[in-house]
Short mmCIF file of all heavy atoms in Angstrom, two decimals:
data_model
loop_
_atom_site.label_atom_id
_atom_site.label_comp_id
_atom_site.label_asym_id
_atom_site.label_seq_id
_atom_site.Cartn_x
_atom_site.Cartn_y
_atom_site.Cartn_z
N SER A 9 -0.69 21.26 10.17
CA SER A 9 -1.44 21.66 11.37
C SER A 9 -0.94 22.95 12.02
O SER A 9 -1.67 23.59 12.75
CB SER A 9 -1.41 20.54 12.40
OG SER A 9 -0.11 20.36 12.89
N HIS A 111 -2.89 14.30 14.70
CA HIS A 111 -1.50 14.76 14.69
C HIS A 111 -0.66 14.08 15.78
O HIS A 111 0.50 13.69 15.54
CB HIS A 111 -1.50 16.28 14.89
CG HIS A 111 -0.15 16.90 14.84
ND1 HIS A 111 0.51 17.16 13.66
CD2 HIS A 111 0.68 17.32 15.82
CE1 HIS A 111 1.68 17.70 13.92
NE2 HIS A 111 1.82 17.80 15.23
N MET A 112 -1.23 13.90 16.99
CA MET A 112 -0.45 13.31 18.08
C MET A 112 -0.27 11.80 17.87
O MET A 112 0.72 11.22 18.29
CB MET A 112 -1.09 13.59 19.43
CG MET A 112 -1.22 15.07 19.75
SD MET A 112 0.26 16.04 19.42
CE MET A 112 1.35 15.49 20.72
N HIS A 115 2.69 11.59 15.71
CA HIS A 115 3.92 11.77 16.49
C HIS A 115 4.28 10.47 17.21
O HIS A 115 5.44 10.07 17.25
CB HIS A 115 3.75 12.88 17.52
CG HIS A 115 4.12 14.26 17.02
ND1 HIS A 115 5.33 14.55 16.45
CD2 HIS A 115 3.42 15.42 17.03
CE1 HIS A 115 5.36 15.85 16.12
NE2 HIS A 115 4.21 16.39 16.46
N SER A 136 5.38 18.38 22.70
CA SER A 136 5.56 19.29 21.57
C SER A 136 5.23 20.70 22.01
O SER A 136 5.07 20.97 23.21
CB SER A 136 4.66 18.85 20.41
OG SER A 136 3.31 19.10 20.75
N THR A 312 10.07 16.54 15.17
CA THR A 312 9.29 17.75 14.89
C THR A 312 8.32 17.43 13.74
O THR A 312 8.36 16.35 13.15
CB THR A 312 10.23 18.92 14.52
OG1 THR A 312 11.18 18.44 13.59
CG2 THR A 312 10.97 19.43 15.74
N ASP A 313 7.41 18.38 13.45
CA ASP A 313 6.35 18.11 12.48
C ASP A 313 6.91 17.77 11.10
O ASP A 313 7.85 18.41 10.63
CB ASP A 313 5.43 19.33 12.38
CG ASP A 313 4.65 19.53 13.66
OD1 ASP A 313 4.69 18.64 14.53
OD2 ASP A 313 3.99 20.58 13.78
N MET A 317 5.57 11.18 8.97
CA MET A 317 4.82 10.52 10.05
C MET A 317 3.32 10.47 9.72
O MET A 317 2.63 9.55 10.15
CB MET A 317 5.06 11.22 11.40
CG MET A 317 4.50 12.62 11.51
SD MET A 317 4.88 13.34 13.14
CE MET A 317 3.90 14.85 13.06
ZN1 ZN B 402 3.62 18.33 16.25
#
Side-chain angles (χ1 to χ4, degrees):
S9 67
H111 183 79
M112 300 314 288
H115 270 306
S136 71
T312 46
D313 292 350
M317 67 181 188

